[in-house]
Amino acid sequence: MGVTKEDVETTLTSTLKPTHLEVVDTSGGCGASFEVEIVSEQFEGKRLLERHRLVNTALAEQMKQIHALSIKKALTPAQWKPEDKAQE
Amino acid sequence: SVRCSSGLSPELKSTLDKVVNSHKVLLFMKGNKDFPQCGFSHTVVQILKSLNVPFETLDVLSNEAFRQGLKEYSSWPTFPQLYIDGEFFGGCDITVEAYKSGELQELLEKTMLS
C-alpha cells in the first residue's frame, strides 16, 4: 500500500496548519502522484521556493514513495482570493 | 525503513559546486533537452527554449550519483532542478509560476548581462 491522499492531507494539516488545503490524487488511484493547493499563515514573509521547501520537508517521509508532487498553490491567507473559493 | 543517505560525499559536493557554476543556466532533468523523459522536465525545457536563453541540461537518469547527491545538495527531492547563476532556482512548479509572472525572464535577462 503506497501513500494515500489522506496521508498527505493528515501530514500537511498537522505540520502547516493550513486554512485551506486541497490534495488531488492524479495517479488514477495508485497513490503516487498528487497535486496540492495549500494556504497557510506559515508562508507569511517567505518566497515561493521556501514555501515549497516547507511542503516538501513536511512530506519528506512520503516523498520517498511519491513519484510526482505538484504544488499548484502555496499562498498566505491574505493572498488567497475569494474568487478562488467560488468552486467549493 | 529509516536509512541515512550518504548521497552527498565531500567529493561529490565539490564536484557539484563546480558543475552548477559551469553554466549560467543549467537544468538537471530526466532525459535531455531534445528528448525529455518526463513531463515535468519537458515543461521546463519548453519554457527555457521559449525565453531564448542559452542553457545546458544534464541527464540525471544516466548519472545515479548526481541524481541522489543533488537531492541533498539542493535540499529538493525531485527533478527537474533548475540552477541559475550557480543558485538553485526551483523545480517545475516554481519555474512555471515565475515564468507566468515574468520574474523568470527578468532574472534570466539580468543573469545574461552579468
Side-chain angles (χ1 to χ4, degrees):
Chain A
M1 189 60 203
V3 178
T4 64
K5 175 177 177 293
E6 287 72 27
D7 292 335
V8 174
E9 285 169 349
T10 306
T11 306
L12 290 178
T13 300
S14 66
T15 47
L16 295 173
K17 311 272 183 291
T19 56
H20 167 85
L21 176 65
E22 192 176 335
V23 179
V24 179
D25 186 331
T26 50
S27 68
C30 80
S33 175
F34 303 96
E35 278 183 11
V36 175
E37 258 185 41
I38 181 164
V39 179
S40 167
E41 278 179 9
Q42 295 186 31
F43 294 148
E44 211 75 64
K46 294 194 172 65
R47 294 177 52 218
L48 192 56
L49 177 62
E50 298 170 74
R51 295 178 186 190
H52 282 219
R53 279 202 212 278
L54 282 176
V55 175
N56 288 333
T57 304
L59 293 171
E61 201 50 42
Q62 283 93 342
M63 284 305 283
K64 291 172 189 165
Q65 291 180 61
I66 292 175
H67 294 169
L69 178 74
S70 190
I71 304 169
K72 290 291 171 196
K73 290 198 178 100
L75 303 173
T76 62
Q79 293 172 321
W80 177 237
K81 294 186 215 82
E83 58 260 33
D84 293 337
K85 290 179 182 169
Q87 300 296 318
E88 283 182 50
Chain B
S1 64
V2 180
R3 196 167 134 259
C4 265
S5 152
S6 55
L8 193 60
S9 63
E11 294 77 20
L12 183 53
K13 187 184 175 299
S14 90
T15 303
L16 289 173
D17 281 337
K18 286 194 198 97
V19 172
V20 301
N21 284 294
S22 62
H23 300 280
K24 285 192 169 181
V25 183
L26 178 62
L27 182 67
F28 295 97
M29 62 179 286
K30 295 183 176 175
N32 61 52
K33 66 169 98 169
D34 297 315
F35 296 100
Q37 293 189 40
C38 155
F40 297 97
S41 290
H42 176 76
T43 299
V44 176
V45 165
Q46 290 310 309
I47 286 175
L48 293 174
K49 282 185 175 173
S50 80
L51 291 174
N52 269 321
V53 58
F55 67 102
E56 285 300 319
T57 59
L58 208 150
D59 183 4
V60 295
L61 293 177
S62 61
N63 192 327
E64 188 60 21
F66 272 24
R67 185 179 180 174
Q68 294 311 323
L70 274 163
K71 292 182 188 178
E72 220 174 301
Y73 185 83
S74 316
S75 306
W76 196 258
T78 54
F79 291 94
Q81 295 186 2
L82 178 61
Y83 273 78
I84 298 174
D85 222 3
E87 248 186 83
F88 179 60
F89 182 76
C92 181
D93 296 326
I94 286 177
T95 305
V96 169
E97 277 304 307
Y99 174 63
K100 286 192 206 154
S101 72
E103 190 196 322
L104 180 63
Q105 184 161 15
E106 199 180 309
L107 175 64
L108 288 172
E109 280 168 5
K110 207 163 38 163
T111 303
M112 288 306 146
L113 290 173
S114 69

